[in-house]
Amino acid sequence: MRHLLVLLLLLATPLARAQEPGGAHGIHAHEVVSDAALVPLTPPPVVSGELTTKRFRILHTAAATGAAHELSRQIEGVRDTFGTILGKDWPGVTEIRLGVGRSEFEALALPGGKPPGWAVALAYPVHQIILLDALSLNAPDGQQTLRHELAHVALGQLAPQWPRWFQEGVAQNVTGERYSLTHYGAIFRAVTQERVFHFEHLDRAWPDVPSDVEIAYAQSAAFVAHLSAKFGPQAMAALVEGVARGEPFETAFGKAFRTSLLVEETDWRGGLAARYGWLPLTTSSALVWLGASFLCVAAYARRRQQRAAKLAEMAAQDAAEDATLRLLAAQAAAANAQAQEGLASTTDATWPDWPAGPPGTDGHEPALETDSALAEGAAPDYLDDEDGPHGRPPKPTLH
């Protein structure tokens, strides 16, 4: 049973994507630029319009006009959700630059901050600017991309320095990524294989192996969710304020949560087996989803088998029909040939051979005696038979 559950979990967990060269986020299609030397100039020439809300300014190209209006109706509500995680809002007005396609996306970037070739979003936290390709907003993970970049801007505006795991953990909690089966599977794998990282190793550096990157993201999101649920938004706001005052992260952590990072991490790690081990896997709703996934795969396989069997049956029926047609054609040809032969024999029967005549005539009509022969007194041959000299009874002799 355990092996079956492991197989189901691995099938349900997507493969980790490799880190892109130079990418800060590895499995995310976004990037963060922290270089304060980049100076925002006047809006690029490609900008054709501007929309403003209470806390946002949206610069857009002509092609992105519709997407900009739609974004302006949603963006304030998205920002309000950050208060439940961080406990407070970040100050100022955030600028969002919106274009359509790669050329406009790059044209909207700050001078010296060209986006990587694989990125569809770019955050400049120091300048409070977000760069977006409008096409990415229509993708299935479009809202996650937007929220992820907003999280980096929020943390960058609230304090200059954050541990890498905390930044990524906050971003994933805001986007809702931590609720995915991928994250559950990554932590499950880390727990069962004893590969959970210590957060001091995820402070600045990030793993290079794709499977380890997935674990690092998942456990960062889980730990931030643990802190937010256990201590509440007020304690999270105190942590943010302490770091904003210039306190080291661990010092602000101790003041806000009345415990040390090491102690709280040890407590959190001790409960991982109960939350992500075999027991919750077999008793929680995760098993329901895994079972549903397995049933979907099984139903799909069965459907393919039924379809293949149906196609084979139809092919067999077609072959049988072709054989029947060929047999009928052969029978018709044979009947036609027999009819032709019968017609030929009937034609021959209408002209029978002439019957043989008397002996010596060779089957031809008897020749008539000439007058000269009769005159000489010769009796005709046809008078000769067995009853008389010429086939007639002899005349009686008169006396």
Side-chain angles (χ1 to χ4, degrees), residues 26-291:
I27 65 172
H28 294 286
H30 3 91
E31 179 63 288
V32 178
V33 177
S34 59
D35 189 356
L38 298 176
V39 179
L41 302 176
T42 56
V46 70
V47 173
S48 65
E50 177 180 329
L51 298 174
T52 59
T53 65
K54 180 181 178 181
R55 293 169 290 182
F56 289 93
R57 178 172 60 255
I58 303 175
L59 304 180
H60 62 86
T61 64
T65 301
H69 282 279
E70 182 65 25
L71 182 61
S72 67
R73 291 189 287 268
Q74 302 175 0
I75 195 65
E76 290 291 341
V78 172
R79 185 164 175 170
D80 290 338
T81 61
F82 281 75
T84 60
I85 302 297
L86 298 175
K88 61 183 304 181
D89 189 17
W90 68 93
V93 176
T94 299
E95 180 179 301
I96 299 179
R97 298 185 176 189
L98 197 62
V100 176
R102 191 68 197 175
S103 60
E104 291 188 355
F105 181 73
E106 294 182 354
L108 292 170
L110 296 184
K114 182 179 179 179
W118 48 267
V120 297
L122 189 66
Y124 304 91
V126 174
H127 304 295
Q128 202 168 171
I129 294 176
I130 294 175
L131 179 60
L132 289 174
D133 185 345
L135 298 177
S136 68
L137 295 177
N138 295 325
D141 58 348
Q143 287 298 313
Q144 288 185 357
T145 299
L146 173 63
R147 290 169 181 265
H148 198 106
E149 298 308 324
L150 284 175
H152 286 293
V153 169
L155 291 174
Q157 288 295 305
L158 292 171
Q161 297 292 332
W162 296 98
R164 178 69 183 275
W165 64 264
F166 188 79
Q167 291 187 57
E168 300 299 342
V170 170
Q172 291 176 93
N173 275 272
V174 169
T175 61
E177 294 172 83
R178 73 179 185 88
Y179 297 106
S180 69
L181 189 59
T182 301
H183 278 60
Y184 187 99
I187 300 181
F188 171 83
R189 188 170 66 250
V191 171
T192 54
Q193 299 176 3
E194 298 183 355
R195 293 171 55 196
V196 180
F197 294 101
H198 290 280
F199 287 108
E200 63 179 348
H201 298 151
L202 300 177
D203 190 356
R204 297 286 177 244
W206 214 241
D208 293 327
V209 180
S211 59
D212 290 343
V213 171
E214 196 173 57
I215 292 174
Y217 274 108
Q219 72 174 75
S220 298
F223 188 55
V224 169
H226 163 78
L227 295 176
S228 179
K230 182 176 180 179
F231 298 104
Q234 292 184 346
M236 292 293 288
L239 170 63
V240 171
E241 291 172 357
V243 176
R245 289 193 300 266
E247 297 176 353
F249 181 82
E250 291 194 20
T251 301
F253 188 100
K255 291 181 178 179
F257 301 139
R258 300 293 191 272
T259 184
S260 69
L261 175 59
L262 179 59
V263 171
E264 192 60 33
E265 178 185 347
T266 302
D267 181 65
W268 173 78
R269 292 169 68 94
L272 287 179
R275 293 192 299 274
Y276 297 94
W278 290 107
L279 182 61
L281 183 64
T282 56
T283 58
S284 69
S285 59
L287 182 61
V288 176
W289 289 106
L290 290 175

Side-chain angles (χ1 to χ4, degrees), residues 4-29:
L4 176 60
L5 293 173
V6 170
L7 178 60
L8 290 175
L9 185 61
L10 292 177
L11 289 174
T13 304
L15 295 176
R17 288 172 286 178
Q19 284 184 291
E20 299 287 349
H25 290 282
I27 65 172
H28 294 286

Side-chain angles (χ1 to χ4, degrees), residues 392-398:
R392 291 187 176 184
K395 293 181 180 181
T397 300
L398 298 178

